C-alpha cells in the first residue's frame, strides 16, 4: 500500500491568495512645477505704473520749484522730484494722489473705492519700487511654480485689498505700494507650512527660517513713513487665504488613472487630513466675516 503525498490544499490556497492579491499602487507622480509668468507680469505692471507716474508728474514743468532742482534732468519728463520733495526718488505726492493713492477721506467720504485697488500698483519712488519688486520675485515666483498662477493671482489681489482696507481704517495719510500684497504672500507661506506640515522633511528649519524672514519684514514696518497697517492687513489676509487655497494631499493618494487594474479602490487613502478641512473652514468663515 503506497504512501499518500503531503496535503496540498492549504498550499494551493496560499498560492492563489498571493496570485490574486492586489499589487501595491505605484507612488504618486511628483508634482510638475508650473511655469511662472503672472508674478513677473505683476512686477512689470508695477514698473510700468511707476514710469507712467513719472511721465504724468513731468518734474521740469513743475511750478513749485525750479526745473534745475529735478534729479536726472536728462530724463526730461521721467526725471525725479528733488529730494526735499520726495527722498525716495519718485514723483510728487500730488501726482500719486491724482493717480489713485490711498486716502482715508477720499475713500470713505467721497466714496472713491477704486483707490483701494489702484494704490497697490503705485510706488512712492525708485527705492520703494526696487525693494518691493525684488521681494515679489523672490517670494512669488516660487509660490507660483508650486501652486499655479490662478491661486497665487487671487492671493496677491485679495491680500493687497486687505492691506488697503486695514490701512484706510487705521490712518489718515496717503499710502501707496504693493507691500500689503507682498505680506499676503508671506502670510500664505506660513499657513501653507502649517497646513502641509507632515509632508516637510526639515520642519523646524523651514519654520524658523520663514519666521525670521517675516520678522525682518515686519520690523521694516516700524520705520518712519512706512505703512505698517497695510503690512498687517495683507499678512492676515494672506495667512487665512493660504489655508483655503494652498492645501496639499497629505497621504498616499493617487489619481484613479494611475491605479493598476484589479486594485481595490477602497484601499486608496484619502487626500487630506481632518485638521486641514478644519483650518480651511475656519479661515473661510473669517475671510467672509472680515
Amino acid at each position: 500500500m503506497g504512501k499518500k503525498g503531503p496535503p496540498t490544499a492549504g498550499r494551493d490556497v496560499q498560492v492563489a491568495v498571493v496570485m490574486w492579491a492586489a499589487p501595491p499602487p505605484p507612488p504618486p507622480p511628483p508634482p510638475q512645477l508650473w511655469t511662472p509668468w503672472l508674478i513677473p507680469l505683476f512686477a512689470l505692471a508695477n514698473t510700468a505704473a511707476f514710469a507712467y507716474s513719472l511721465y504724468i508728474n513731468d518734474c521740469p514743468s513743475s511750478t513749485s520749484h525750479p526745473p534745475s532742482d529735478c534729479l536726472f534732468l536728462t530724463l526730461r519728463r521721467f526725471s525725479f522730484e528733488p529730494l526735499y520733495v520726495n527722498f525716495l526718488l519718485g514723483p510728487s505726492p500730488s501726482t500719486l494722489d491724482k493717480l489713485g493713492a490711498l486716502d482715508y477721506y477720499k475713500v470713505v467720504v467721497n466714496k472713491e473705492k477704486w483707490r483701494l485697488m489702484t494704490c497697490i500698483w503705485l510706488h512712492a519712488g525708485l527705492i520703494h519700487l526696487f525693494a518691493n519688486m525684488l521681494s515679489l520675485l523672490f517670494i512669488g515666483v516660487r509660490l507660483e511654480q508650486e501652486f499655479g498662477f490662478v491661486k497665487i493671482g487671487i492671493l496677491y489681489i485679495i491680500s493687497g485689498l486687505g492691506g488697503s482696507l486695514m490701512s484706510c481704517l487705521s490712518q489718515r495719510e496717503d499710502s501707496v505700494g504693493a507691500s500689503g500684497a507682498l505680506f499676503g504672500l508671506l502670510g500664505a507661506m506660513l499657513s501653507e507650512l502649517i497646513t502641509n506640515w507632515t509632508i516637510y522633511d526639515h520642519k523646524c528649519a523651514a519654520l524658523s527660517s520663514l519666521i525670521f524672514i517675516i520678522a525682518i519684514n515686519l520690523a521694516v514696518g516700524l520705520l518712519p513713513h512706512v505703512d505698517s497697517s497695510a503690512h498687517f492687513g495683507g499678512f492676515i489676509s494672506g495667512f487665512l487665504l493660504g489655508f483655503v487655497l494652498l492645501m496639499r494631499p497629505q497621504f498616499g493618494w493617487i489619481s484613479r488613472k494611475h491605479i493598476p487594474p484589479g486594485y481595490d479602490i477602497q484601499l486608496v487613502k484619502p487626500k487630506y487630513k481632518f485638521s486641514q478641512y478644519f483650518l480651511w473652514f475656519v479661515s473661510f468663515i473669517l475671510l467672509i466675516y472680515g
Side-chain angles (χ1 to χ4, degrees), residues 187-210:
M189 289 177 66
L190 180 59
S191 58
E192 188 270 330
L193 177 62
I194 294 174
T195 191
N196 301 322
W197 181 258
T198 59
I199 65 176
Y200 277 87
D201 292 331
H202 307 286
K203 298 177 175 59
C204 293
L207 180 61
S208 58
S209 60
L210 181 56

Side-chain angles (χ1 to χ4, degrees), residues 85-241:
V85 176
N86 187 340
F87 67 94
L88 293 175
L89 301 179
S92 65
S94 60
T95 298
L96 293 174
D97 181 71
K98 182 192 304 183
L99 293 177
L102 186 65
D103 180 86
Y104 173 88
Y105 181 85
K106 292 181 179 179
V107 172
V108 176
V109 178
N110 295 348
K111 307 300 181 182
E112 298 179 4
K113 297 182 176 61
W114 50 272
R115 291 179 177 269
L116 293 172
M117 289 302 301
T118 55
C119 68
I120 69 176
W121 304 100
L122 298 173
H123 286 82
L126 185 63
I127 298 174
H128 187 203
L129 175 73
F130 179 78
N132 275 355
M133 294 305 100
L134 188 63
S135 301
L136 174 62
L137 293 174
F138 180 75
I139 299 170
V141 166
R142 185 190 73 83
L143 287 174
E144 187 179 351
Q145 284 179 327
E146 295 187 11
F147 297 99
F149 68 93
V150 175
K151 292 181 178 181
I152 302 306
I154 294 174
L155 184 61
Y156 183 91
I157 297 299
I158 296 183
S159 297
L161 178 60
S164 297
L165 288 170
M166 183 67 74
S167 176
C168 185
L169 293 175
S170 60
Q171 70 169 14
R172 303 300 173 97
E173 299 178 359
D174 290 356
S175 175
V176 293
S179 300
L182 291 176
F183 272 81
L185 297 180
L186 283 174
M189 289 177 66
L190 180 59
S191 58
E192 188 270 330
L193 177 62
I194 294 174
T195 191
N196 301 322
W197 181 258
T198 59
I199 65 176
Y200 277 87
D201 292 331
H202 307 286
K203 298 177 175 59
C204 293
L207 180 61
S208 58
S209 60
L210 181 56
I211 290 178
F212 177 77
I213 294 173
I214 293 173
I216 292 296
N217 283 272
L218 287 175
V220 174
L222 302 178
L223 297 175
H225 308 294
V226 176
D227 189 1
S228 59
S229 57
H231 295 179
F232 181 75
F235 182 84
I236 294 299
S237 301
F239 182 73
L240 295 175
L241 277 170

Side-chain angles (χ1 to χ4, degrees), residues 270-286:
K271 286 185 180 183
Y272 304 106
K273 298 173 65 175
F274 172 78
S275 59
Q276 289 181 291
Y277 287 116
F278 177 77
L279 290 171
W280 184 97
F281 177 77
V282 173
S283 299
F284 185 77
I285 295 299
L286 291 175

